[in-house]
Every structure is written in C-alpha cells, then in structure tokens.
Amino acid sequence: MPTGAGDDAGDPDAGEGAPGGPARPRRPRRVLTASTTREEKARAVRGLGALGGLAGFLVALMLLPTACTAGVGARDAADWFQTEPDGLTTTGVPQRSRVLSEDGRTIATFFYQNRVNVPLEKIAPILQKAVLAIEDSRFYEHGAIDVQGTLRALASNLSHGQVTQGGSGITQQYVKNLLLTQADSDKERKAAKEITAARKIRELRYAVAVEKRFTKDEILRRYLNIAYYGDGAYGIEAASRHYFSKHASELNLAEAALLAGVIRYPYAYDPTQHPDAARQRRDVVLDRMAELGWLDPAKAEKTKKHPIKLDVQDVRSGCVSSEAPFFCDYVQREILTNPVFGETAKERERLLKRGGLTIRTTMDRQAQKAAQRAVDKHVPPKNSAHKAAAEAMVEPGTGEIKAMVVDRELGPDEERGKTWINFAADASHGSSIGMQAGSTFKAFTLAAALDEGMPFGTRLMAPREFTPVGFRNCDGERVGDPNASLGNAADGEGGKKFSIVTGTHHSVNTFFLALEKEVGLCDTVKMAERLGMKQANGKPLEQYPAFTLGFNAVSPLRLAAAYAALGARGEYCEPIAVKEITDASGEKLKVPPRDCEQVMDKGVADAVNHVLSGVLTKGTARGMGLGRDAAGKTGTVDNFSAAWFAGYTPDLASAVWVGDPRGGYKHPMTSLCMNGRCYGAVYGATIPAPIWQQSMRGALKGTDATSFRRPPSFYFSKGSGEERVRIPDVRGMELRDAIDKLRDAGFRTNVGGRVESRKYDEGTVASMSPGPGSAEPGDTITLRVSKGPGRGDDGDGDGGGRQPPVPPITPQPTNTPTLPPRPGDPAPQEPA
C-alpha cells in the first residue's frame, strides 16, 4: 500500500499479494459536499424507496448535515459539519503491556484489549485487500461518507437476507471503534453504541475530521489495528498470533479472508466457537474479491475447498498464567499503587492495561526458578499439612528483587494449593499482614551492639528465665512487664555466660534480651529501622523488650533487603522490582529511582558478617553452608507457630518463611508430618534453612564467589569470642601430626625456631606455647621442634631448673618451615 499523503493511484489488474493493492482512481471524489444539488440528493432518496423504512432512515441521516444548507443558516450549518469537532483525539487505543524479566523474556501480559499495534508494511497485502473487498471496496475513491457504497450494501444485504457487505465505510467504522475503545465508563460505552441520529451525526463529523487529518493508508492501518476479531483478539497482529500463531505479515489468502470476514460480526464468526459460520463467511470474502477482480476466480474456488486450519495461541491477561505469578503480582501492585505512575488509581490502571508498556523488571529467571523449585520441594503446594512457604531474594548493593515465590498458584484461596495472598511481600504489594520474624531479629541487636563498639569477647550472663524490666522505648517510656518471664523454649539454652559470638551461634533468647538491655531497646529498634524494617502493614515497628525475639510481623522481602544491606557492607537499598518502562511509542517513562544509603560503618557490617557466618558452620544452622562465604540466622517463632531462615552472601540475600496460612498458633508446627515425611517440631534449621540452601545454590550457580571482609582488629581485643576448649598436648608428636591435631581442635598454628631437647626426639615437637590448658578456638599455638640434646640439657625440653635455661630463640617467620596448606585451613595470623 502507498504511504504518501496524496498517492491514491492503484493497479487495476493487481491480483493476490500485489504490492499495489486494490484498484484506486488517481483523484478521489468526495460524494457529499456543501455544493451537492438538491435534485441529486432527492434522486438518491427516491432510489431507496423500494428498500423500506430502514434504508430511508439511514440515507436521511446521512443527508442531514448537508440538507441543512437549504434556507436560513445554510452556510453556518455546512461550516459546522466540516469543522473538526471539539475533543477529537485518536490516541488512547488500548494496547497490551508486557512484563519482562531482567534478560528480556516475557513473563506476563496485561491488557484491557489484547492488541499489538503494527505499521501497515507489517500487515500482509492480501489481508488488506480482503478487508477492503468485504468492508469498503471504494475506500480509496470516496471521502468520509460513501452514499453509493451504502446504497449498494443495503440493497445487497436485504436481497440476500443477511449481511454480505458493510454499509459504513472504513473511516466511519474506525471512528465508531475509536469512540468505543476510548469510553471509560458504562455510560460512555452505552453512548458510543446507541442507535440514534445524534450518535450517527457525531460519528460522521469525526469521520470527516479524520479524513482531513490522515492519509487513506494511515486510516486503513489504524482501522486494522483497532478492529475486534473475536475471541479476545483486538487488532490484526493479535488476531493473527491468536488464531494462527504467526505475524500479520505472514498471513496467506485463506487466513486473510477468514480474518477479514470476522470483523463484521466477531461473535457470530469466531472460528473457535462457530467454525462452519466462519468458513461460510470466509468464502463470501473470497467471492467478493473475485467479483471485484482482485483475485483470480479459479484461485478463489480452490481456496474455498480448504478447511479452516487454526493454531490457537492464548494470551491471558494478568499474573495467573505467569511463570512467576507472585513476582508479577508484586510488579502489578507497584504500578497500581505508586504515584510515580499516575496521580489516581484510575490513571495508573489505565496506563498498565491500555498503555502498551514494556516493563523490564529486576527478576533473574535462574534465581526465580531455583527458589520456586526449593519451596515446592520442601513444602509442596497441596501438602497434607496445609503449610505454606514463601521466599524473597534481593541483590546487595542495588535492592533489586531477583526472585519472589510462594508455594502456591495464584488464585482463589478456596481452591486447594492456591492463594491470592503474596506471603513474600508487604500488605501494600501482596495483601499479607506479615508473619512474626522470630530470632532473625537478633541480627539487629547484634548489629547495634557491634555498632556501639562491643568486642566479640564481650560476655553476658544468660539466665534461664528473664524478667523484662528496665527497658525504655524511643519515646523514653518504660516498657516491660515485671510479672512476665521470657525463656529459651525455642532456641538455645541459658544458665551461663555467653559471648556475643557464642550467644549468636546458639541463638540464646535470654542472652539477647540481656544484650538488648545493655545496648538499649531504642538503639536496637533504630538499627532495624535503618536497615529498612517496618511492619508488613506499613506501620512502624512496635517497641517492647521482646523486640529482639522477633514479635513484629514482617515480610520475607523486607527481611531479605535488611540482610542484603549486611552483605553490602552496611549499604541499605530500598527493594525495587522495575528497572525501566517504555510506552507504545518507545518513550521511557519515569520509574521509582534506586534508593540506597550507607546506614552503618563498613567495619561494623564486616563484624556482623563474621559472627553470622558462624551460624552456618558451628551454630543453629551448621551444615547449611553454600561452599562460599555466607552468613545467616535461624528464626523460630513462639510455640513453633512459624519458622524462618534469612541468609546472604556478598552477592545475594534471601529470606524464607514457613508457616500455616490458617494461623500458626492454631496450627503449630509440632509433631509435623507432611506428605509422608515427619519432622517433629520445626525450627528455622528444619525446613526454612534447607530451602534457603537449595535456592541460593541454584541462584548463584555459575557465578564467581565473593568473600566477606575481615572485621577490624578491635573486635578481637577480648579474644575471638569463641567458647574456650582444651588445648591438646602435642609434645613428642611429629610436627605434621601435631599441626593436624591442633587444627582439628579449632586452633591456628605457628612454627617457631628449633630447640635443644633430650626429652623429645629430634624432629618431634619439644615445646608449645601456650601449653596444654584451655583457650578459645582460633587462638594461635606456637610449636617448636626438637633438634636433639644439647650440652647440659636435662631433656625436659622446657628449660628445667637443674640446668641453665636455653637462651631465648627468636621466632621465625610463619612460613618457615614451609608446610602445604590443607583445604579449609583458616588464613594465617601473625605469631602470638
């Protein structure tokens, strides 16, 4: 089809697929104008007498605007009809919006009408000819109103007893569809469809204006893109993809004729519902094309013998059919609730469902799939215990949400294995009121203590029972109940002193209550708030002594983002799901900006990471490591009503919740059996930690590992904080065996200078410092090897009292003698 504004020429002999399209005269003539004579109009009316009252009404309606030219005010009436009406807009035609993963894969589609606009050159010429043949064969010859075509169509339709040809021209049909699709309310939609003279006059005025504003080719393109083709397909591209799983540019003759025929009555000629009627209608189109000389009659007859062949491809609107339904739901709610995308809810919904947006998100498909597999494996969607699981993954340093899953399908809660509630997100983005976080909140008390300069070796008494008194909230008010007694029912044990390190590893409730009291409740709360924590309902965190035990109801997403800040060395980033949005014309729209802030000193974060790393190696989640630097914290809520695990590496953070949507206190996870597997009581390490481990390994597969930084030396000023253990006596052992034994006991080793000894054979360990006794794991033991007896040596190797002591030996560098490191050996330290 030509695209020039004034190019109306055509090839009268053009056949199927000819580039020139249907025959078109060089100079189009507008049939009704202000200069049309009264005799011409009367003659046209008399020619319709035999067609009955309906024909008379329609023609009178068509003639009404120019008939007003007779008598007083004729010129004003004509000018009124020819003047472009107020409020005419050709924008706002609904197009579908796509949601893409980070790598550009479509994960969901939203639309009010399933439509994809395409230029005319991407619509098969044979389809253009088929539509023109059956709807408006003189489209390139007449103006906005075609009296001749309307009279012919009326006569043909009445004589056949059915609609064989369209009465309104393509421009009029385009206007009618445009007004209908732009209607936002039931009242507007009713007005766009009502059968009245006023509506028809309005459409005719719009048609005249459209013909003035656009070329014929542009009007045809717009019409093909706006028309409804049945079964939820709007526009020729969506229809082609839906019915034949191909682009509109790839349609053949039979397919083009079928779609052209559907336009007149899409519900009656829908080939998926009424294949026989659709085939008959297709054949009518083929006959009309042959009648006009646009198609060889033999070709038409041959094509009519072919049955209808469909390859239906359904495109469902919304998140229900998405491969990532709950992440998709989060993105949808972000657009529908964030003022960045419109001042009102109505504007935001219109943008999403009509705007033809391309929404590129932060979702990592590898991470999303890994998380979904993990939660579905450990807590199947239709499990016999009715439990549920949710997980959110956030990238440290960016706040980008990489995955968000629930072990359910998105759908009515009444159906088993489905829910509308996104348990991974806050109420504003998923309807969830959140879940109590349990001991995962101890990380905030730990961070507050380290932020205030407490070394790892700081030790506090952890009583078996703790009375919560002596606490003040951030308003300075006393909070706590002197009649209450908090214990260690879920995690750890009390009755002795713990260091910051061991208290965390064992997750001792009463130790953290004592630490929170030492640090201050308000400081602990403020640390959590700096790390982005708030209740899932959007309200600030509640402040009571049990804060550190995690009584606040939060979402996995918020918790994952807080732990991500630890992995980013103290830089907190508000979670984001949308990276970029472009509209139908390719213009970029404003999106929520990345919002990151350094909320704690990097050294403090390094210290937190150091302590929480031990949870995976020697604490409540030992054995749940990833084979790379990782840290985390278990969480078990009172009465086993829920369980959590939140953990992270420098590259990815994740939080997992497992509980019962019907209410955790009514349905606790004690004596839990699920799909034939029994767990007894469920702790954070029982189900959440394995989900975390599996999903994180899958998400990080193929990526280079990043290491945590060593904490500032100040934190070791009171030792490593580890529990003191017995130092094994390795004197008399071969050096390699001695080193192995000490390392197995958790100690570092350093080899000093050789010493004379008659007690210990040459080549064996003659001296160790400190000697046998107790020390903290990780302390360095310096070993000296015997070089045999010396003059006057009594053989004790320790410089006994009967002989002059051996002169002091200057320690040698730690790499002398050189010993091959073993896998998993800690990094060497300077000699003690």
Side-chain angles (χ1 to χ4, degrees):
M1 291 293 167
T3 56
D7 187 356
D8 286 326
D11 179 4
D13 298 320
E16 177 190 350
R24 293 171 286 186
R26 189 171 301 275
R27 295 180 181 175
R29 178 172 61 88
R30 299 186 182 273
V31 177
L32 289 182
T33 68
S35 61
T36 303
T37 66
R38 185 175 306 194
E39 181 178 355
E40 289 174 327
K41 298 169 186 174
R43 189 162 53 245
V45 173
R46 288 195 298 272
L48 281 178
L51 297 179
L54 176 61
F57 170 75
L58 289 174
V59 173
L61 186 59
M62 291 172 57
L63 298 180
L64 179 60
T66 50
C68 292
T69 59
V72 179
R75 180 175 298 176
D76 290 341
D79 289 343
W80 172 84
F81 190 76
Q82 293 291 331
T83 301
E84 185 168 298
D86 294 334
L88 172 61
T89 175
T90 56
T91 61
V93 176
Q95 296 188 58
R96 71 188 190 189
S97 296
R98 295 185 304 143
V99 180
L100 310 180
S101 58
E102 189 175 38
D103 62 0
R105 177 81 170 265
T106 299
I107 59 175
T109 305
F110 292 98
F111 51 81
Y112 169 70
Q113 294 176 349
N114 180 22
R115 178 183 286 105
V116 181
N117 273 356
V118 289
L120 200 60
E121 56 267 24
K122 291 190 176 182
I123 301 174
I126 192 62
L127 182 280
Q128 299 177 42
K129 287 196 291 185
V131 171
L132 289 169
I134 199 64
E135 292 297 327
D136 191 355
S137 62
R138 299 182 63 254
F139 173 66
Y140 283 91
E141 302 172 30
H142 63 72
I145 306 168
D146 180 19
V147 173
Q148 179 181 332
T150 301
L151 299 182
R152 184 195 64 250
L154 283 169
S156 175
N157 295 341
L158 292 175
S159 65
H160 284 85
Q162 60 177 324
V163 177
T164 60
Q165 298 179 28
S168 298
I170 280 179
T171 305
Q172 292 172 255
Q173 292 185 54
Y174 165 65
V175 167
K176 181 178 180 180
N177 279 318
L178 181 64
L179 295 175
L180 185 59
T181 57
Q182 290 178 339
D184 285 328
S185 64
D186 290 339
K187 182 179 180 180
E188 290 176 348
R189 282 185 283 272
K190 182 179 179 181
K193 293 188 291 185
E194 63 183 355
I195 304 175
T196 64
R199 193 213 81 193
K200 191 66 180 178
I201 292 172
R202 181 189 181 208
E203 287 181 5
L204 293 178
R205 285 193 71 205
Y206 270 58
V208 170
V210 166
E211 288 267 351
K212 287 182 177 180
R213 185 181 292 187
F214 302 114
T215 65
K216 285 287 189 177
D217 283 348
E218 176 62 14
I219 295 171
L220 177 61
R221 182 194 72 81
R222 289 169 174 264
Y223 173 68
L224 295 175
N225 278 302
I226 202 173
Y228 181 51
Y229 294 82
D231 206 29
Y234 291 82
I236 188 59
E237 178 68 11
S240 181
R241 294 186 196 182
H242 174 63
Y243 289 118
F244 305 113
S245 296
K246 61 172 61 174
H247 294 291
S249 61
E250 302 169 327
L251 292 169
N252 60 34
L253 173 62
E255 295 162 347
L258 177 71
L259 293 182
V262 169
I263 295 176
R264 179 58 54 180
Y265 287 115
Y267 300 101
Y269 298 133
D270 178 350
T272 64
Q273 301 296 322
H274 309 289
D276 292 338
R279 180 172 182 175
Q280 292 175 16
R281 178 65 174 168
R282 178 201 68 181
D283 294 348
V284 169
V285 175
L286 292 169
D287 287 339
R288 177 62 177 160
M289 294 175 73
E291 177 186 337
L292 292 169
W294 296 357
L295 179 64
D296 180 69
K299 179 77 170 179
E301 290 302 318
K302 181 179 179 181
T303 305
K304 287 163 64 175
K305 294 178 181 179
H306 296 163
I308 292 177
K309 293 183 180 180
L310 302 178
D311 184 7
V312 176
Q313 180 186 85
D314 283 322
V315 178
R316 299 175 66 184
S317 178
C319 299
V320 172
S321 58
S322 171
E323 66 179 71
F326 290 95
F327 181 90
C328 168
D329 185 64
Y330 184 93
V331 172
Q332 176 183 224
R333 291 173 188 259
E334 172 69 9
I335 294 175
L336 294 178
T337 60
N338 196 319
V340 168
F341 301 109
E343 294 183 0
T344 66
K346 186 176 182 179
E347 288 178 8
R348 296 190 288 268
E349 182 176 10
R350 183 183 182 88
L351 175 68
L352 177 62
K353 295 186 177 180
R354 292 171 174 252
L357 307 180
T358 299
I359 305 164
R360 188 175 291 275
T361 71
T362 60
M363 193 193 89
D364 182 312
R365 296 182 67 246
Q366 177 175 314
Q368 178 73 19
K369 289 182 178 180
Q372 193 69 64
R373 283 194 296 265
V375 298
D376 288 348
K377 175 184 176 181
H378 294 276
V379 188
K382 298 181 180 180
N383 65 81
S384 57
H386 303 283
K387 303 308 177 192
E391 180 175 14
M393 289 182 166
V394 175
E395 183 177 66
T398 67
E400 292 185 2
I401 305 170
K402 295 301 178 182
M404 182 177 290
V405 301
V406 175
D407 73 321
R408 294 282 191 276
E409 294 179 24
L410 189 63
D413 296 81
E414 295 76 19
E415 297 183 35
R416 188 179 177 190
K418 294 185 178 182
T419 184
W420 290 120
I421 299 175
N422 185 351
F423 294 111
D426 287 348
S428 62
H429 287 70
S431 301
S432 173
I433 59 173
M435 295 75 66
Q436 289 186 336
S439 296
T440 59
F441 259 46
K442 291 173 182 174
F444 305 130
T445 309
L446 169 66
L450 296 173
D451 187 53
E452 295 188 4
M454 291 188 184
F456 295 142
T458 302
R459 295 179 181 273
L460 297 174
M461 183 65 188
R464 296 192 181 280
E465 298 292 333
F466 187 95
T467 301
V469 294
F471 292 84
R472 291 180 182 272
N473 63 22
C474 291
D475 292 328
E477 301 169 338
R478 291 186 179 276
V479 291
D481 182 357
N483 298 316
S485 180
L486 302 176
N488 298 296
D491 294 296
E493 69 287 335
K496 61 179 182 180
K497 283 189 175 184
F498 290 89
S499 71
I500 284 179
V501 172
T502 56
T504 302
H505 291 173
H506 295 284
S507 195
V508 184
N509 287 354
T510 55
F511 169 82
F512 271 92
L513 288 164
L515 184 62
E516 180 185 63
K517 187 174 182 178
E518 186 79 12
V519 171
L521 171 61
C522 183
D523 286 352
T524 300
V525 172
K526 286 183 177 179
M527 175 59 72
E529 290 176 341
R530 283 157 57 186
L531 290 168
M533 293 307 300
K534 59 183 176 181
Q535 293 187 75
N537 60 14
K539 296 180 180 180
L541 298 167
E542 294 187 350
Q543 303 176 27
Y544 295 102
F547 180 89
T548 191
L549 305 184
F551 70 83
N552 276 282
V554 300
S555 69
L557 177 60
R558 283 280 164 195
L559 195 60
Y563 276 57
L566 301 175
R569 304 188 71 204
E571 183 183 22
Y572 173 76
C573 297
E574 188 71 16
I576 58 172
V578 177
K579 299 181 79 168
E580 180 183 280
I581 298 180
T582 54
D583 62 18
S585 63
E587 293 291 323
K588 288 187 178 181
L589 303 183
K590 185 178 179 180
V591 298
R594 183 170 294 176
D595 184 9
C596 298
E597 180 183 359
Q598 192 74 31
V599 297
M600 71 169 68
D601 183 82
K602 292 181 179 180
V604 175
D606 294 336
V608 175
N609 299 339
H610 172 80
V611 176
L612 292 183
S613 295
V615 174
L616 294 168
T617 57
K618 60 193 74 172
T620 53
R622 59 184 174 273
M624 289 293 133
L626 303 177
R628 61 171 76 194
D629 278 7
K633 184 69 189 74
T634 54
T636 307
V637 184
D638 284 350
N639 300 321
F640 301 97
S641 57
W644 291 75
F645 188 84
Y648 57 99
T649 73
D651 306 300
L652 188 64
S654 166
V656 179
W657 163 83
V658 176
D660 198 308
R662 300 170 298 175
Y665 286 99
K666 289 184 177 180
H667 305 278
M669 293 191 291
T670 53
S671 303
L672 176 66
C673 290
M674 185 165 53
N675 287 27
R677 183 176 180 180
C678 294
Y679 297 91
V682 175
Y683 293 86
T686 309
I687 299 178
I691 291 176
W692 177 86
Q693 182 186 54
Q694 179 184 335
S695 61
M696 289 285 284
R697 283 178 172 173
L700 293 170
K701 184 178 181 180
T703 65
D704 294 332
T706 305
S707 300
F708 291 132
R709 302 289 187 92
R710 179 174 172 78
S713 58
F714 165 79
Y715 289 106
F716 295 94
S717 61
K718 290 186 177 181
S720 68
E722 302 282 357
E723 293 179 348
R724 298 183 69 85
V725 295
R726 178 182 172 276
I727 304 174
D729 188 351
V730 296
R731 289 174 296 180
M733 297 177 62
E734 294 289 338
L735 180 61
R736 178 77 268 179
D737 293 338
I739 290 173
D740 287 345
K741 187 167 185 177
L742 287 169
R743 290 182 176 179
D744 288 342
F747 296 100
R748 299 174 185 270
T749 58
N750 176 47
V751 179
R754 297 169 68 87
V755 296
E756 296 177 346
S757 174
R758 305 179 74 181
K759 183 175 182 180
Y760 298 106
D761 294 338
E762 183 178 358
T764 64
V765 175
S767 171
M768 53 188 294
S769 178
S774 64
E776 290 184 354
D779 282 357
T780 299
I781 311 299
T782 299
L783 305 177
R784 291 180 170 85
V785 177
S786 169
K787 61 179 181 179
R791 184 171 51 183
D793 193 321
D794 68 351
D796 65 7
D798 293 315
R802 289 177 295 174
Q803 297 288 340
V806 177
I809 305 294
T810 302
Q812 300 299 310
T814 56
N815 60 349
T816 303
T818 301
L819 294 173
R822 297 186 306 163
D825 279 354
Q829 281 188 326
E830 291 298 316

